[in-house]
Structure formats: structure tokens, C-alpha cells
Amino acid sequence: GCTATIVYQLYREQNATIDKQIAGLLCSAILSDTLILRSPTCTETDKKAAYALAEIAGIDPEKYAEEMFAAGSNLSSRTPEEIFYQDFKKFVANDLVFGVGQITSMDRQELVAIKDKLLPYMEKALANHEVEMLFFMLTDILQGTTELLYHGNGARELAVKAFHLPEDTKQIILQDTVSRKKQIIPAMMIAAQE
């Protein structure tokens, strides 16, 4: 579960009072970590903690989260490199080494603008890493979808195989997909090992 949920539980176990500011911070962390309680990594315990903390903080969790994500996702002034490495991780499956980055936003237009910046940058990023393939998740929180950008020899084919897409797929849009950890990486690992 979300670390902030665990902190909330520790407060409750100690019968400690959570002040309004701390409740707001903990609630913010849960909403951020769980993509406004929409991620498959979100547990019922996370949801209960978020709503309890929101009540203490005096905030509407949905409205507050939308404002929080809107403020945090203004990426228009950032360079492609800053965007790319904001949340980037490397993975190994058999002898295949690949990298996967992710950006989340509540603004579809912002994701389109980011895509235009990232596609040319991915070629440079591939040369800078000891990886064979790069992937980048443009995740639309409100729609619950991810456009998966790819670069590298065999990258498109691996994604097509991992997500059971038609062979001629060029633009990869994954419905109900927001989690790298639970949805993207397991499918790619299985496909890479087959």
C-alpha cells in the first residue's frame, strides 16, 4: 500500500491526533501515488485513509486532486530531457535491457504537446543508455489510458506482442492502463521471455 496510508495507520494505532496540515499532506501523497485512487495499485485501505484524511483536512478529495495534478503536470516549460527522466526506470528480461518512463496528466492536450517533444528526444536517449529499447507512457489520468511511445530495434514488436495488439499497430493506446508496475512491466517481461 501507499506509504502515506501506513503513516495514517500508525497515527491511528497510537491514538494520535492528526492536525489539518499533516492530514492534507498525507492525503495528497495517497492521491498522487494512486492516481486519484484509480491505479490498480490502490487498495481499499488507501481509499479509506484518503477519505478520512480529506475529512480532517477539510478538502474534497476529487476536486483537490484535480487541482493538485493540474498544478504538478504543467510541463510546457520543461525540456524533453527533464520530462523524460522525471520518472524513468530500467528493466532486464533475460538478456534484454529496456527503459520505461512515465508522465501522468489530466490534460490530453498537454500529453499531445509532450509527445511532440519526446519522440525526437527518445532517439538521443537510446544512444545515452545501455538499453536496447525505450518506452514512454503518456498516461491520461481522467481517461485511464496510456499512449505507449517506443524507440529501438524491436520495441514496437515487443509492445504489440505484450499487449496482444494487431501486427500492423503503429500508435499504441492502452485502455484502462495507468500503472507501469502492475500493468506495463509484467506484460513486457512475459513477452520478452517468450
Side-chain angles (χ1 to χ4, degrees):
C2 178
T3 303
T5 300
I6 296 167
V7 172
Y8 167 72
Q9 290 173 325
L10 292 171
Y11 268 94
R12 292 197 50 196
E13 287 172 12
Q14 298 299 316
N15 291 318
T17 302
I18 304 173
D19 71 41
K20 186 175 181 173
Q21 184 178 10
I22 296 296
L25 291 169
L26 291 172
C27 185
S28 297
I30 295 170
L31 294 171
S32 175
D33 185 56
T34 64
L35 298 179
I36 315 175
L37 311 176
R38 289 176 170 89
S39 173
T41 61
C42 182
T43 66
E44 278 304 311
T45 304
D46 293 326
K47 290 177 185 177
K48 289 176 184 174
Y51 284 109
L53 290 162
E55 187 173 329
I56 295 166
I59 57 175
D60 175 310
E62 289 285 325
K63 184 178 179 200
Y64 174 75
E66 287 179 19
E67 292 170 1
M68 181 178 71
F69 273 97
S73 74
N74 184 358
L75 301 168
S76 58
S77 64
R78 295 197 187 158
T79 68
E81 184 175 18
E82 290 171 328
I83 294 168
F84 190 83
Y85 292 109
Q86 183 169 315
D87 187 3
F88 176 81
K89 295 180 179 160
K90 287 184 184 179
F91 300 90
V92 179
N94 292 341
D95 293 332
L96 175 67
V97 182
F98 61 96
V100 182
Q102 182 176 24
I103 285 290
T104 57
S105 179
M106 298 184 74
D107 181 349
R108 183 76 201 128
Q109 293 307 107
E110 180 177 51
L111 291 174
V112 170
I114 290 169
K115 177 181 176 179
D116 292 342
K117 284 182 171 184
L118 284 181
L119 284 173
Y121 181 77
M122 288 178 75
E123 185 173 344
K124 178 182 177 186
L126 184 68
N128 291 340
H129 291 282
E130 295 177 5
V131 296
E132 296 165 58
M133 302 173 189
L134 287 177
F135 299 92
F136 199 88
M137 300 170 62
L138 297 173
T139 302
D140 184 326
I141 299 167
L142 290 178
Q143 299 301 314
T145 61
T146 290
E147 180 172 1
L148 187 65
L149 307 181
Y150 52 86
H151 190 72
N153 193 16
R156 184 190 69 80
E157 293 79 7
L158 178 64
V160 163
K161 183 177 180 182
F163 302 106
H164 312 288
L165 302 170
E167 290 294 323
D168 61 347
T169 300
K170 299 285 184 245
Q171 183 181 23
I172 300 175
I173 307 289
L174 304 171
Q175 302 297 321
D176 302 316
T177 303
V178 296
S179 174
R180 175 174 47 199
K181 179 170 67 174
K182 289 246 181 170
Q183 296 173 301
I184 298 293
I185 299 307
M188 294 182 91
M189 290 289 201
I190 290 168
Q193 291 171 357
E194 288 177 350

